[in-house]
Structure formats: structure tokens, C-alpha cells
Amino acid sequence: MTFRMGFVAAVMAVVAGTAGAQTSEVLFSHKHWQVEIVGWEDGSIGCVGQVSAPGESFSVWTFPDGAVQLQFYSSAWQFGEGDTADLEVQIDRRAPWSLTGAELYQNSVLFYLPDDKAGVNFIVEVARGNRLYLRSADGSDVQNYSLAGSRASIDALIECGNVIGRANSGNPFN
């Protein structure tokens, strides 16, 4: 119960602090992962679980409406705006996932997971996985990320997403 109350307090602190700038608070860190709540100056909020190395990161974002977005970032990438690409993601030696029409934006590749069983299965694979491989559509390696600590971190990310979803519902008893 204290873990949940800590999330609620962090959500309220970030929401209250978004009047003039982007605000974030670390909610959980474990092995290679960090989970944060982020508030933007327009009053919107999100939760992010991220594994990173200098200049590189793999992030899973959750938003109050339940949307889940993957973000692959590299300071070495230079994309424009509005371009898309078909990619492949493989976790450990499991079957690869196709990310059709991923958005290329500046230094990031962005992809919204479908709100269905496949999206849930992908997150479960991340939580159980050891390494994630990002590849081009033809299977060429682009980047890979350690998933050490992902099980506990994905649990924390889901809890954060549940809290911001309730905070956004207008019903404090949900």
C-alpha cells in the first residue's frame, strides 16, 4: 500500500508542478531500468520506463488514455519529421515482432502498441526478456538493449499508468 501511495503522491506533485515547465520524478530504479512520471507544461502527464546507455535508450511510455508507445532513441540518428519505416524487434530468441509504419522523428523511432492481446504479449516479452534487438525490416541489426531488471520495472510502469489513468478519469474512487 505504501508503494501505491508513493505513486499517487508523485503523480499529484508532477501534476501540480506542470504550470510552467516539464517536470519529472523518478519513481523506481532497478538494474538497467528507471521508471519516471513526466509532466509537460500543457498539463499532460505520462509514465516512462527506460533502459539507457550514453546517447542511446529504449523507452516504454504510458499515457492516461491507456496508450502505450515505444521509443528508440539515438543521438547518432538524424531523422526529419513525418517519415516512417517498417522495423523488426526481437526479444531474446523469440519470434520477431514487426513494427509497421513506425514514426521517425528527429533522434527517435516511435511506435504505438496496439490496444489488444498482441500489445500485451509484447510487454510481457519485454518484462521476461534479457535483450531486445532493434532491426531494419530486412533483419539488419540497428541497436540492442539490455532488459535486465525489466520485470520489476514494467510492473512499476503499469502501476504508474494505472494511477495516471485514474487521476485523469475525474473519479477519485476508481
Side-chain angles (χ1 to χ4, degrees):
M1 185 68 168
T2 58
F3 185 64
R4 172 172 266 166
M5 293 308 293
F7 271 78
V8 173
V11 168
M12 295 310 147
V14 168
V15 169
T18 58
Q22 180 177 332
T23 308
S24 68
E25 183 173 328
V26 175
L27 301 173
F28 184 78
S29 291
H30 184 61
K31 296 187 181 179
H32 294 133
W33 283 84
Q34 186 167 293
V35 177
E36 295 178 70
I37 182 164
V38 179
W40 290 273
E41 48 186 55
D42 67 358
S44 60
I45 57 174
C47 301
V48 62
Q50 177 173 272
V51 58
S52 61
E56 309 286 331
S57 65
F58 163 61
S59 306
V60 180
W61 288 87
T62 61
F63 299 101
D65 65 358
V68 177
Q69 184 181 47
L70 305 179
Q71 179 182 16
F72 302 92
Y73 171 88
S74 175
S75 59
W77 298 338
Q78 298 296 319
F79 305 122
E81 295 181 25
D83 292 332
T84 62
D86 295 338
L87 309 170
E88 182 178 282
V89 171
Q90 185 174 9
I91 300 165
D92 299 331
R93 293 191 171 154
R94 295 178 178 100
W97 294 83
S98 295
L99 306 185
T100 305
E103 180 185 356
L104 306 178
Y105 180 77
Q106 296 179 1
N107 302 90
S108 295
V109 175
L110 305 166
F111 185 81
Y112 280 97
L113 288 179
D115 185 20
D116 60 12
K117 187 176 179 181
V120 171
N121 289 346
F122 181 86
I123 294 297
V124 168
E125 277 195 28
V126 169
R128 293 180 178 166
N130 295 308
R131 183 144 306 268
L132 182 145
Y133 301 92
L134 176 64
R135 299 186 174 115
S136 61
D138 68 4
S140 302
D141 286 331
V142 174
Q143 186 59 273
N144 67 81
Y145 309 87
S146 169
L147 296 178
S150 58
R151 179 179 296 272
S153 299
I154 293 294
D155 287 346
L157 180 64
I158 290 168
E159 180 63 25
C160 182
N162 289 340
V163 170
I164 66 172
R166 283 192 300 273
N168 191 51
S169 74
N171 181 349
F173 302 105
N174 279 343

